[in-house]
Amino acid sequence: MLAEAPHIERIIAKDPASLWTSIRPDSSRRLLLAALDAFGTLGFEGATTREIATRAKMSPAAVYVHYGAKIDLLETILEVAHQAAWEAVSEALDGVVGPSRRLRVFAEAFAAWHASNYMLGRVAQYELPALPEGRMEKIAAIRRGFERLVRHELRLGIDEEGFIVPDLDGTALVIVSLGIDLVRWYSPDRRITVEELARLRGELVLRMVRPWGTAAD
Amino acid sequence: MLAEAPHIERIIAKDPASLWTSIRPDSSRRLLLAALDAFGTLGFEGATTREIATRAKMSPAAVYVHYGAKIDLLETILEVAHQAAWEAVSEALDGVVGPSRRLRVFAEAFAAWHASNYMLGRVAQYELPALPEGRMEKIAAIRRGFERLVRHELRLGIDEEGFIVPDLDGTALVIVSLGIDLVRWYSPDRRITVEELARLRGELVLRMVRPWGTAAD
């Protein structure tokens, strides 16, 4: 059996509302949450400003007071989502040493965050192409950061622990995918818990890259 | 190095237009392809009947001659996509013997199909929740079929080849995910080829489940 995983517990226990507390005033936050809900059910293109205003119990004109256009709402939501995922992973990895342990904790934390925040994650992943290139910089940097982190641990693992990685970039993408794909199908109705699916992904990632006979610890 | 993989080549070489030849008359097919294009860029909710008609160079009234409503177009697209993926995988597995070989071929064929048909696959995966429960039966059966197939090979692999699979359902989902998630990010601009990413997934799946020391053949 695996040891306890407080880093997974911490991510699961975090109140989703806390992601939005820095957004002020209250009416801006209410609009963002209404937009998240509308984008999640109707898609970015399908959700009109009127629809978002109605969900926020505000007038369409009020949307433009707080946000210049619908795309500004999407940009803010995407930034909050990526920043939150990055912080969750960084916090989980804080003080963790050694490529195997770090890869496992990455896979667990990344999966736990995406399952716990599946609706926000779904909008962040599926509506990303709606964001114009010029507004992508901050978000693209965080996304590259996740892949760079995984590639770095894979490289260290090859040198220090004999990892077998035939295609470094491709394997890093697969490892990142294992967490992201959860936003497509996970919901709390599922029989599997967030902790179980996080641990399974941590285990499978190690089995993918570690030399035979060393993955059981 | 791996042996040649004619099953991957066959999937890559298949003309995407051939998926639609059974749809008659021509105007029905033209509408379906226009709807696929509109759903792919605007989402199901965001694509109006008018928009679809315009893309098909037809009048909105003509849409209702061929299809009762927008949802009928989506249902047909989803059925074509799932049926085509199922046929591609079945054809690839035809005559392949042994759980390891069959799992590898499944992972390769499933990945190759989803990358080669990423736009159709994206609509099939992302717009699936828009389909009402009552119209889901045929598609849900195919989706369960993929998972059942993988679980079956995993079970045989445990019995016959000593596979290590701590969580059968969860691992089957991960293996299916590896192919599906390609629709989110793959495009022909990517530096990696469809064949390379199919082979990598086949390799990683075997490393996930086979006992140490046996995955090199």
Side-chain angles (χ1 to χ4, degrees):
Chain A
M1 276 286 89
L2 297 164
E4 279 183 36
H7 55 283
I8 301 179
E9 295 308 325
R10 249 195 321 269
I11 290 169
I12 296 170
K14 184 151 185 172
D15 178 6
S18 70
L19 297 185
W20 309 95
T21 46
S22 69
I23 310 279
R24 302 265 163 168
D26 281 4
S27 43
S28 289
R29 187 163 65 240
R30 215 162 79 211
L31 269 173
L32 267 190
L33 292 169
L36 171 60
D37 186 39
F39 296 158
T41 48
L42 304 169
F44 175 73
E45 295 289 344
T48 59
T49 304
R50 177 175 298 275
E51 179 67 37
I52 295 167
T54 306
R55 287 178 192 227
K57 299 197 171 67
M58 291 163 78
S59 72
V63 176
Y64 297 106
V65 174
H66 296 279
Y67 293 93
K70 201 172 70 164
I71 192 76
D72 300 317
L73 285 158
L74 181 66
E75 188 179 14
T76 306
I77 290 169
L78 290 170
E79 286 183 5
V80 167
H82 283 79
Q83 191 60 42
W86 182 258
E87 279 169 20
V89 166
S90 303
E91 204 182 307
L93 282 170
D94 190 37
V96 178
V97 177
S100 284
R101 285 205 189 78
R102 289 180 63 81
L103 260 189
R104 184 198 281 261
V105 167
F106 170 84
E108 289 177 342
F110 200 64
W113 191 87
H114 280 89
S116 299
N117 298 278
Y118 66 99
M119 189 49 81
L120 175 59
R122 197 177 293 168
V123 170
Q125 298 300 332
Y126 292 9
E127 307 305 336
L128 186 65
L131 203 65
E133 200 65 46
R135 289 171 175 241
M136 197 68 97
E137 209 172 302
K138 222 160 135 183
I139 291 157
I142 295 177
R143 297 179 77 89
R144 283 194 304 270
F146 285 126
E147 288 184 33
R148 190 181 300 128
L149 192 157
V150 172
R151 283 199 305 269
H152 179 70
E153 299 304 333
L154 289 176
R155 260 188 229 107
L156 288 180
I158 292 167
D159 292 345
E160 298 173 12
E161 303 183 31
F163 280 9
I164 297 163
V165 184
D167 174 346
L168 197 89
D169 291 355
T171 304
L173 264 177
V174 165
I175 292 172
V176 168
S177 266
L178 286 186
I180 291 179
D181 192 55
L182 290 169
V183 305
R184 179 176 57 81
W185 62 267
Y186 177 75
S187 91
D189 314 336
R190 288 280 181 157
R191 278 170 308 176
I192 191 165
T193 67
V194 172
E195 178 165 353
E196 283 164 351
L197 55 81
R199 280 170 181 257
L200 178 63
R201 279 154 186 76
E203 182 72 24
L204 293 177
V205 162
L206 287 194
R207 291 186 57 95
M208 275 189 223
V209 299
R210 291 185 78 177
W212 314 121
T214 60
D217 65 301
Chain B
M1 277 286 89
L2 296 164
E4 279 183 37
H7 55 283
I8 301 179
E9 295 308 323
R10 250 196 320 270
I11 291 169
I12 296 171
K14 185 153 184 169
D15 179 5
S18 70
L19 297 185
W20 309 95
T21 46
S22 69
I23 309 280
R24 302 263 164 175
D26 282 3
S27 43
S28 287
R29 188 164 62 241
R30 217 162 76 212
L31 269 173
L32 267 190
L33 291 169
L36 172 61
D37 187 38
F39 296 159
T41 47
L42 303 169
F44 175 73
E45 295 289 345
T48 60
T49 305
R50 176 175 298 275
E51 179 67 37
I52 295 167
T54 305
R55 286 177 194 228
K57 298 198 170 72
M58 291 164 76
S59 72
V63 177
Y64 297 105
V65 173
H66 295 277
Y67 293 92
K70 201 173 69 165
I71 193 75
D72 300 318
L73 286 158
L74 181 66
E75 187 180 14
T76 307
I77 290 170
L78 290 171
E79 284 182 8
V80 167
H82 283 79
Q83 192 59 44
W86 182 258
E87 279 168 20
V89 166
S90 304
E91 205 181 304
L93 282 170
D94 191 37
V96 178
V97 178
S100 283
R101 283 204 192 78
R102 289 180 62 81
L103 260 190
R104 185 199 282 262
V105 167
F106 170 84
E108 288 177 343
F110 200 64
W113 190 86
H114 280 90
S116 299
N117 298 278
Y118 66 99
M119 189 50 81
L120 176 58
R122 198 176 294 170
V123 170
Q125 298 300 333
Y126 291 9
E127 306 304 335
L128 186 65
L131 204 65
E133 201 63 47
R135 289 171 175 243
M136 197 67 96
E137 210 172 302
K138 222 160 135 182
I139 291 157
I142 295 178
R143 296 179 77 87
R144 282 193 303 271
F146 286 126
E147 288 184 33
R148 191 182 298 126
L149 192 156
V150 172
R151 282 198 305 267
H152 178 72
E153 300 304 334
L154 289 177
R155 260 187 230 106
L156 288 178
I158 292 167
D159 292 346
E160 298 173 12
E161 302 182 33
F163 281 8
I164 296 163
V165 185
D167 174 345
L168 197 88
D169 291 355
T171 303
L173 264 177
V174 165
I175 291 172
V176 168
S177 267
L178 286 185
I180 291 179
D181 191 55
L182 290 170
V183 305
R184 179 175 57 82
W185 61 265
Y186 177 76
S187 92
D189 313 334
R190 287 280 181 156
R191 278 169 309 177
I192 191 165
T193 68
V194 173
E195 179 167 351
E196 283 164 349
L197 53 83
R199 281 171 181 256
L200 177 63
R201 277 152 188 76
E203 181 72 24
L204 293 178
V205 162
L206 287 194
R207 290 186 56 94
M208 274 189 228
V209 299
R210 292 185 77 178
W212 315 121
T214 62
D217 66 305

